[in-house]
Amino acid sequence: MNVSMCSTSSDKAFSSYECFRGRNLCLSPSKSFCKDTIRVHNRCTRKVIVSSHLVPYHLEGSIPAKAQLNGTNGKLQHVRTLLIDNYDSYTYNIFQELTIVNGFPPVVIRNDEWTWRDFYHYIYQEKAFDNIVISPGPGSPTCSADIGICLRLLLECGDIPILGVCLGHQALGYAHGAKVVCAPEPVHGRLSDIEHDSCRLFDEIPSGRNSGFKVVRYHSLVIDPESLPRELIPIAWTSSADAVPFLVNQGSSSINGHDGHASQQVFVDCLPSSLTTRKSGPNCQTEKLIGEKVLMGIMHSSRPHYGLQFHPESVATGHGRQIFRNFADITKDYWFRSRSTPSRERIYAARMQMPDVNQLFQGVFGGHLASRMDDAKHLNLNDVAKLTNSSCNVKFLELRWKRLASLASRAGGSRNIFCKLFGDYKAENTFWLDSSSVEKERARFSFMGGIGGTLWRKLVFTLSNDSETALNGRGCLIIEDADGSSQSMHLEDGFFQFLNKELQSFCYDKKDFEGLPFDFYGGYIGYLGYDLKVECGVALNRHKSEVPDACFYFSDNFIVIDHQKDDIYIMSVHDKSTRGSTWLDDVEKKLLRIASHAKKNMESRTSQSSAKHPLNLGFSAQKSKEQYIEDVYKCQKFIKDGESYELCLTSQLKKKIGEMDPFGLYLNLRENNPAPYAAWLNFSKQNLSICCSSPERFLRLDRDGILEAKPIKGTIARGCTKSEDKLLKLQLQYSEKDQAENLMIVDLLRNDLGRVCEPGSVYVPHLMEVESYATVHTMVSTIRGKKRANVSAIDCVRAAFPGGSMTGAPKLRSMEILDSLENCSRGIYSGCIGFFSYNQTFDLNIVIRTVVIHEDEASIGAGGAITFLSNPEEEYKEMILKTRAPANAVYVTESSNALPVQ
């Protein structure tokens, strides 16, 4: 990659842009071959998918009729922002901040979504915006495919305030002739003290080392300060050459990353170096220039244009929101002063009249008819009967349930209950969302069931074989009912759209589930495979999954176990037009009979024997150790070139297993590696069983509309002794590399939730907490937000799928790179398992620590986040560590050749 390119004139920038606009294959010859390959596949499809990142946001009535003036000083009360997304995974963190500061949401477009004619129309003819913010993003401003329209905006829109963040900052420099070069050291997810010149952008913000103004950096490239032209003025720089990790203040229960202060962060200098340098790569310091201060901010001398190399929107950046407030104030002052400038009088007067931008906002965000039905279908069923006149697919559901208090332990626990009720014939066509680890209130409920009543259905979806087709969400869906009859259909719009329509079709009475302490009342239980990423913005899948891409049961009869209260709930949902079955009464009798014969709680935990290396247990690796390590180096090269901040590289181990009982395997796995989001799924006709012991929640939506994600980034083995175990836990907690990768994914998940949550509602109650499991310690964070009323459950999942902890950031570019490095489909691994209740609550895990049994072959996926600080040898060891528990469960099951206890 040529990292010293600079533009010497606007003609050069324009010619580059016009080449880009032509949608031809015009890739920078200085880019690496692998990146070119990735971009070749995406160039022909990028225009088609430009709006796939947008979640419907009904803005009619939320925009002022005119850009109102403050009565006392004549300044704008509201600021209308155009936010340009450079295909980044942090853009919607900026979106949330701007919405809070400006008073209503900005319009978000991707950098190749509008032509220059579109921009000119909305900026200069419609006068629709008061300022522009250019987002971060992967790549370099020297590559037209990475920066899109932004260079031309920076050069031609000299009379409108613009703020560029990270890539946008580099673009501001490059557009005016500065050089973009390799940073002394790539810095991703680490913090630096910032000094500034006290210009307007930094009003009320301290300056200098230990002042409390620490910022998060995600970048490999910087502007060479020696190359700055006269018109660009440096306004901020790092206080020293050192970037430091973020360590959570153990006394703080929550993190406020927008206007945070130094008191919310703890920087430990007295810890042993072994605790803070875990997995640091041997080459990460080779280019570091001792004593060098890195340029962190610039401004134009005569235009209201600013650039920031750091990320003010990060959860760990202090005073981030104040920066956005200051930019809004700069914008208001700019247009206020324009009134007295004759050359701008006409423009200012036009801006004071709010243009008719309803069509613009409707076009960008779209309507959401389903949201208007959402409130109606929560009313009494008699009140929504009129909906049948407009849709023959509306289903009126009625829920019946019974609670058997304090019976779970007397019935032998969840294992014994499942085996007695659903364990016949190797537990075929059954599910078990199994909270097998409930310590420290990590999980509370387990859900189990088999073939049910009249509403029971099995869905099996397989993507089209045409892997080269853009936006390939099309595929075949097979639907089977409880009688065994089936039908198939082609889904042109993909599985997510089908599932969304299904969930939207249910009507119910909320009184049916009043008093229930959980959020699943009947609905779909199953998995979403990783390759469904093509329905979430990725252009294509390079590899074809050997298993179906999604399988679900619609469960109408099932059991719920409350591990906290020791209660059992028997649940049955049916169409209101049909009579209920006797299933509740029949199962109650069975449970009472099981309890009368159970002598004690059958739940037990066997000690974990020393786990053997999977390759010594007959598993074969998709990649050799040497190839995996080489791929880690390739990831680091992509990161150094600015193509990604973090890449979650994975591989798979496989083994033929013959006649082994898959359900017996699952029982062994849950016994020796219990997890809060474990699961058993069996789809007998597909010869498919999933034995999952996942410790990670992907995403949950509860009945109060609260979304929660709990990403895991950072894993280390348990110690053999208490003292060793404690030391290893501390080593993980204070690892600079693990903190950096966790922070990057937290900011990514904040972005994903920010696309569907109310502005200002996304927060991080727990940051980088270490949780301990049977075989590993993990670093876990929690992100929550309040879902907007006009988005559906499926909108929320699509906004965040696949889970960012399994991709890296920025998500889209990272998935493209990973597809080019990995030599097979991930299949179910890296997807999610869980439920979608008929009332649109859901809870989904991340499929890790899992054995997938298909066609008499066991496969185990594993990987880890690669950053510039990664040590390739240690990354391979961590990948193998994550396969040990599942692989040993296979080995133990094969050795014992035992069937599950009945």
Side-chain angles (χ1 to χ4, degrees), residues 89 108 117 152 209 238 313 322 483 504 676 679 735 815 874:
S89 289
V108 186
R117 185 185 299 273
R152 187 164 187 179
R209 191 173 181 87
T238 57
E313 79 285 357
Q322 185 62 43
D483 296 326
Q504 295 286 352
S735 162
M815 286 191 287
E874 292 298 317

Side-chain angles (χ1 to χ4, degrees), residues 473-612:
R474 299 191 300 271
C476 177
L477 177 68
I478 298 175
I479 303 176
E480 179 183 334
D481 63 22
D483 296 326
S485 60
S486 63
Q487 59 174 318
S488 63
M489 62 179 69
H490 181 75
L491 299 184
E492 187 68 26
D493 297 325
F495 185 75
F496 278 116
Q497 184 65 14
F498 171 84
L499 198 56
N500 193 48
K501 290 179 180 178
E502 282 287 296
L503 294 174
Q504 295 286 352
S505 72
F506 298 127
C507 292
Y508 52 86
D509 191 335
K510 290 201 294 186
K511 292 181 180 179
D512 285 356
F513 42 81
E514 285 181 355
L516 291 175
F518 45 85
D519 289 318
F520 181 65
Y521 314 124
Y524 289 102
I525 284 183
Y527 73 82
L528 300 168
Y530 178 76
D531 287 350
L532 286 182
K533 65 184 188 291
V534 294
E535 297 189 26
C536 303
V538 175
L540 55 87
N541 287 316
R542 289 173 177 262
H543 311 290
K544 175 67 177 174
S545 175
E546 297 178 356
V547 300
D549 295 287
C551 285
F552 278 86
Y553 294 118
F554 186 93
S555 179
D556 53 359
N557 295 329
F558 57 98
I559 300 292
V560 183
I561 297 178
D562 183 344
H563 298 284
Q564 184 181 102
K565 301 291 187 180
D566 201 37
D567 297 338
I568 300 176
Y569 291 84
I570 313 171
M571 311 288 291
S572 181
V573 62
H574 61 93
D575 193 308
K576 191 165 179 69
S577 63
T578 64
R579 294 182 58 188
S581 68
T582 62
W583 192 80
L584 290 176
D585 296 331
D586 294 341
V587 172
E588 179 182 14
K589 293 176 182 178
K590 290 181 180 180
L591 287 169
L592 292 173
R593 189 162 53 250
I594 292 170
S596 67
H597 288 85
K599 301 296 183 181
K600 61 180 180 178
N601 191 326
M602 301 298 293
E603 298 289 347
S604 62
R605 292 282 181 264
T606 60
S607 60
Q608 175 70 40
S609 59
S610 57
K612 299 181 180 179

Side-chain angles (χ1 to χ4, degrees), residues 176-209:
H176 291 283
K179 292 182 179 180
V180 177
V181 299
C182 275
E185 174 192 17
V187 179
H188 298 98
R190 290 185 288 160
L191 287 77
S192 293
D193 286 300
I194 297 297
E195 298 177 7
H196 58 76
D197 68 349
S198 300
C199 72
R200 281 290 309 279
L201 196 62
F202 297 110
D203 273 359
E204 300 183 20
I205 297 175
S207 175
R209 191 173 181 87

Side-chain angles (χ1 to χ4, degrees), residues 332-381:
K332 294 174 183 177
D333 287 344
Y334 176 80
W335 294 116
F336 175 71
R337 291 193 306 271
S338 295
R339 290 189 306 171
S340 58
T341 305
S343 62
R344 291 180 177 169
E345 192 171 285
R346 179 185 61 81
I347 296 178
Y348 180 80
R351 286 184 183 277
M352 293 306 96
Q353 301 300 318
M354 180 64 191
D356 181 12
V357 294
N358 285 338
Q359 183 177 0
L360 165 66
F361 280 81
Q362 289 290 343
V364 174
F365 292 101
H368 202 270
L369 177 61
S371 68
R372 294 196 286 272
M373 288 183 60
D374 194 55
D375 289 335
K377 67 186 183 180
H378 292 177
L379 300 175
N380 187 282
L381 293 176

Side-chain angles (χ1 to χ4, degrees), residues 649-902:
L649 181 68
T650 75
S651 185
Q652 296 206 26
L653 307 180
K654 296 190 176 184
K655 180 181 182 180
K656 291 292 183 181
I657 57 171
E659 296 298 319
M660 186 183 67
D661 174 30
F663 183 54
L665 165 61
Y666 176 68
L667 294 179
N668 280 321
L669 180 62
R670 78 182 296 271
E671 192 77 11
N672 289 295
N673 196 52
Y677 310 110
W680 156 263
L681 294 172
N682 175 271
F683 301 93
S684 59
K685 283 190 176 180
Q686 287 67 44
N687 197 11
L688 174 64
S689 297
I690 304 167
C691 308
C692 176
S693 60
S694 173
E696 182 172 0
R697 168 174 281 156
F698 165 43
L699 199 61
R700 174 193 178 190
L701 176 65
D702 67 20
R703 71 178 86 179
D704 296 320
I706 302 300
L707 279 165
E708 179 184 86
K710 290 178 67 69
I712 289 177
K713 271 289 155 253
T715 302
I716 196 169
R718 298 293 301 265
C720 296
T721 65
K722 287 185 177 181
S723 59
E724 182 189 24
D725 194 56
K726 183 177 180 180
L727 183 63
L728 287 170
K729 185 175 181 179
L730 285 172
Q731 185 175 329
L732 176 62
Q733 179 72 76
Y734 294 108
S735 162
E736 182 174 21
K737 184 263 184 184
D738 292 298
Q739 289 183 55
E741 67 179 59
N742 195 286
L743 179 57
M744 280 188 268
I745 298 306
V746 167
D747 278 340
L748 188 154
L749 265 298
R750 288 176 59 239
N751 171 87
D752 291 349
L753 267 63
R755 295 165 64 181
V756 294
C757 286
E758 295 288 350
S761 71
V762 179
Y763 70 109
V764 183
H766 306 288
L767 183 60
M768 301 182 198
E769 294 185 342
V770 174
E771 294 183 355
S772 301
Y773 293 89
T775 59
V776 296
H777 299 293
T778 62
M779 185 179 287
V780 186
S781 294
T782 304
I783 305 99
R784 294 187 186 128
K786 175 70 173 178
K787 182 185 76 71
R788 294 202 316 263
N790 65 336
V791 297
S792 69
I794 299 301
D795 289 333
C796 296
V797 174
R798 291 187 67 178
F801 188 85
S805 62
M806 302 306 296
T807 63
K811 186 185 288 187
L812 290 180
R813 178 69 62 86
S814 295
M815 286 191 287
E816 292 173 353
I817 294 171
L818 292 167
D819 262 9
S820 73
L821 294 175
E822 296 174 358
N823 54 8
C824 66
S825 168
R826 295 187 186 183
I828 299 170
Y829 169 64
S830 296
C832 57
I833 294 172
F835 69 74
F836 290 93
S837 182
Y838 65 74
N839 67 325
Q840 296 215 34
T841 60
F842 64 82
D843 199 354
L844 303 168
N845 75 1
I846 294 285
V847 180
I848 54 177
R849 320 291 196 272
T850 297
V851 184
V852 175
I853 309 281
H854 182 242
E855 303 292 347
D856 298 324
E857 182 179 63
S859 63
I860 303 170
I866 311 302
T867 72
F868 191 73
L869 295 178
S870 293
N871 180 301
E873 183 79 25
E874 292 298 317
E875 291 296 340
Y876 177 78
K877 291 180 181 177
E878 180 176 320
M879 184 271 290
I880 292 297
L881 168 66
K882 293 171 179 176
T883 67
R884 286 180 181 264
N888 275 266
V890 174
Y891 172 74
V892 169
T893 306
E894 283 184 313
S895 300
S896 63
N897 195 28
L899 294 175
V901 178
Q902 299 294 314

